[in-house]
Amino acid sequence: MVARVLIIGGYGNFGSYIAHSLAGDDAIRLLIGGRSVLKAKAFVDTLDASNTAESHAIDIDGELGDALARIAPDIVIHTTGPFQSQDNRVARACIAQGCHYLDLADARTFVATIDQLDADAKAKDVLVVSGASSVPCLTAAVIDAYLPAFARLEAVDYGISAAQHTNRGLATTSAVLSYVGKPMTMLREGAMTTVYGWEDTHVVHYPGLGRRLFGNCDIPDLTLFPRRYPTLKSMRFAAGHELKLLHIGTRMLGLLVRLGIIGSLSNHAENLLKLAFAFDRFGSGRSGFHMFLDGIGHDGNPLKRRFRIIARSGHGPYIPCMPAILLARQLARGSITQRGATPCVDLIDLDSYLAALEGLDITVIRDEVDA
C-alpha cells in the first residue's frame, strides 16, 4: 500500500527539501500543498517521484477540515511557520481526519504543550509529533547518546550557526526575530532565570569554520529538558549568523527592542531579510551545530563531552528536515506503532539521525575532550 503524504508548504524552503528526499520512496505518494496551487503544480513538475505526485491548494487559516477530507492524506507534514504565532489547529484537524501529523515547529510553547492532544490522538489511533526537527529531536538524541557516561549531567551549552548562503525564508526569519531582545527563561544555576534574546554574546570555534558569534535563543528544549534531565543545573541554547557584522547588528537591534524603543523585530522581517541577502557575497554555505556537556563521571571526577556537526555546500537545512523524513518513511511502512501526541523525543536515536545525513557534505565530530 502506498501512503499519501501531504506536505503543507511543500514548495517552500524546508518543504522542498523534504519533498525531494521522499520523492523516490516507492512507499509514498507525495501531495504538495500550499496556498498557491499553481506554485504547487510547478514544483511537482520538478520532482522525480516514484509515484505520481499531486498538487493541492490548502490554507492553514482556511477550512482545514474540508481541505483534508478532499485531499485524503495518510500523513501530514506541516512546515509552514512561523509556529510562534500559531495554535494547534492543524494538528487537531489531522486528528479529526484520522491522519498522522508531523511538524517542524521550533516554538517553545507550541512544541512543549502538544501532549495536550495525547488522548484525542490515541482515540483516533494516530501519531502526532511536534518539533520533528533539530530541536528537540537532534538535541535530545545527542544528550541521550552521551548520558550513560555521566553519573550526573549538570550543564549543556549548545547552539546553531547558520550559513549566510542558507536559503532563508520569511517565516524562519520572522520566527528568529520574534524573540530578539525579548525576555525568556533559561535554567541557570539551578533556577529558571530571565534572559534576553540574542544577548549573552559568546564565541565558539569550529574546525574549518573559525570563530562564530552566538546569542540566546528561545526553543522548546528550555522547557522540556529540565524535566527530562533532572540533574541539570544550567542550560544555554544560542544561535548566530555566519557574518559577525550581521550578528552584532541584530544584537544592537535587540537592545532597542529591550529598551522599548522599537517593537518586535518580526514586524520588520521582510526588510531585514532583504538587507541580509545583500551581504551574501561575503558569506558561504557552511553552517555548524555544537553541544558541550559537563558533569560528573562515574569515577567522581569532572567529565566533559563535546559534539559538533559541520555542514558545507549549503547542506545545513537538510539537518532539521531529517526527523520528518525518517518518521514519514516509518509511518508509511507501518513500522511505528506508537500513538498519541508528543514532542519529537525518544523516536529517533543519534546513530539513526546521523546515518540519514550520510552522502551529504556534512562532518560529525565526536570528541571527548574540551576543545
Side-chain angles (χ1 to χ4, degrees):
M1 181 176 177
V2 176
R4 294 172 59 80
V5 178
L6 170 64
I7 306 177
I8 300 178
Y11 51 80
N13 288 330
F14 290 123
S16 62
Y17 284 112
I18 295 171
H20 282 294
S21 295
L22 294 177
D25 193 321
D26 58 10
I28 288 174
R29 183 184 303 280
L30 282 177
L31 318 172
I32 303 302
R35 289 182 177 178
S36 170
V37 71
L38 294 179
K39 289 182 180 179
K41 175 63 168 61
F43 179 73
V44 162
D45 290 342
T46 71
L47 294 174
D48 182 16
S50 292
N51 297 293
T52 303
E54 302 173 9
S55 54
H56 293 277
I58 185 167
D59 184 349
I60 63 171
D61 297 320
E63 297 297 328
L64 274 174
D66 292 345
L68 291 177
R70 168 176 51 84
I71 299 169
D74 299 302
I75 304 162
V76 170
I77 304 175
H78 179 20
T79 72
T80 305
F83 289 91
Q84 283 77 3
S85 58
Q86 295 183 35
D87 58 22
N88 52 31
R89 66 189 309 267
V90 180
R92 288 187 180 278
C94 289
I95 293 172
Q97 178 65 24
C99 59
H100 302 296
Y101 167 90
L102 311 169
D103 69 44
L104 274 67
D106 60 354
R108 183 172 180 171
T109 300
F110 186 100
V111 176
T113 61
I114 196 67
D115 58 0
Q116 294 175 358
L117 303 181
D118 188 58
D120 291 340
K122 287 177 177 175
K124 295 289 285 189
D125 194 34
V126 297
L127 179 63
V128 170
V129 179
S130 187
S133 190
S134 302
V135 294
C137 184
L138 173 60
T139 50
V142 174
I143 294 175
D144 292 345
Y146 283 106
L147 196 60
F150 289 88
R152 186 170 68 249
L153 177 64
E154 297 182 334
V156 291
D157 188 347
Y158 55 115
I160 296 172
S161 177
Q164 179 64 20
H165 291 177
T166 295
N167 189 16
R168 305 176 296 282
L170 183 58
T172 302
T173 302
S174 296
V176 173
L177 293 176
S178 68
Y179 46 73
V180 173
K182 298 289 187 177
M184 65 185 75
T185 57
M186 284 190 188
L187 182 65
R188 299 285 173 87
E189 303 301 327
M192 295 304 289
T193 303
T194 298
V195 299
Y196 290 84
W198 223 256
E199 296 191 2
D200 295 341
T201 303
H202 58 284
V203 177
V204 176
H205 179 267
Y206 286 87
L209 303 189
R211 296 160 62 87
R212 296 280 179 99
L213 294 179
F214 288 85
N216 296 330
C217 278
D218 202 18
I219 56 169
D221 304 22
L222 302 176
T223 293
L224 296 172
F225 286 6
R227 299 195 299 263
R228 182 176 175 85
Y229 308 106
T231 63
L232 277 178
K233 295 180 180 179
S234 294
M235 285 184 66
R236 179 170 65 178
F237 177 80
H241 298 293
E242 174 185 354
L243 300 181
K244 294 179 178 63
L245 178 62
L246 290 182
H247 188 95
I248 294 170
T250 304
R251 173 70 175 84
M252 294 299 100
L253 290 174
L255 180 60
L256 297 180
V257 172
R258 181 174 177 181
L259 294 175
I261 297 173
I262 59 177
S264 173
L265 292 183
S266 61
N267 298 330
H268 308 280
E270 186 171 0
N271 289 331
L272 290 174
L273 180 59
K274 291 178 181 177
L275 179 61
F277 281 134
F279 288 83
D280 280 3
R281 73 187 72 176
F282 304 109
S284 73
R286 300 176 299 169
S287 57
F289 167 82
H290 69 275
M291 179 174 279
F292 301 158
L293 302 91
D294 293 84
I296 303 299
H298 293 285
D299 59 0
N301 293 319
L303 180 67
K304 299 176 182 291
R305 289 293 184 267
R306 303 295 183 250
F307 178 90
R308 294 176 177 84
I309 298 176
I310 298 171
R312 306 174 187 85
S313 304
H315 287 180
Y318 280 102
I319 298 173
C321 294
M322 279 306 166
I325 293 167
L326 292 173
L327 292 174
R329 286 175 173 159
Q330 293 174 34
L331 285 168
R333 289 167 171 77
S335 58
I336 296 180
T337 59
Q338 180 174 334
R339 298 294 183 263
T342 179
C344 194
V345 294
D346 299 321
L347 293 170
I348 301 171
D349 62 38
L350 183 59
D351 287 339
S352 298
Y353 203 123
L354 298 181
L357 300 177
E358 291 179 2
L360 298 172
D361 193 1
I362 289 175
T363 300
V364 177
I365 303 173
R366 303 195 203 201
D367 51 347
E368 298 186 348
V369 297
D370 200 3

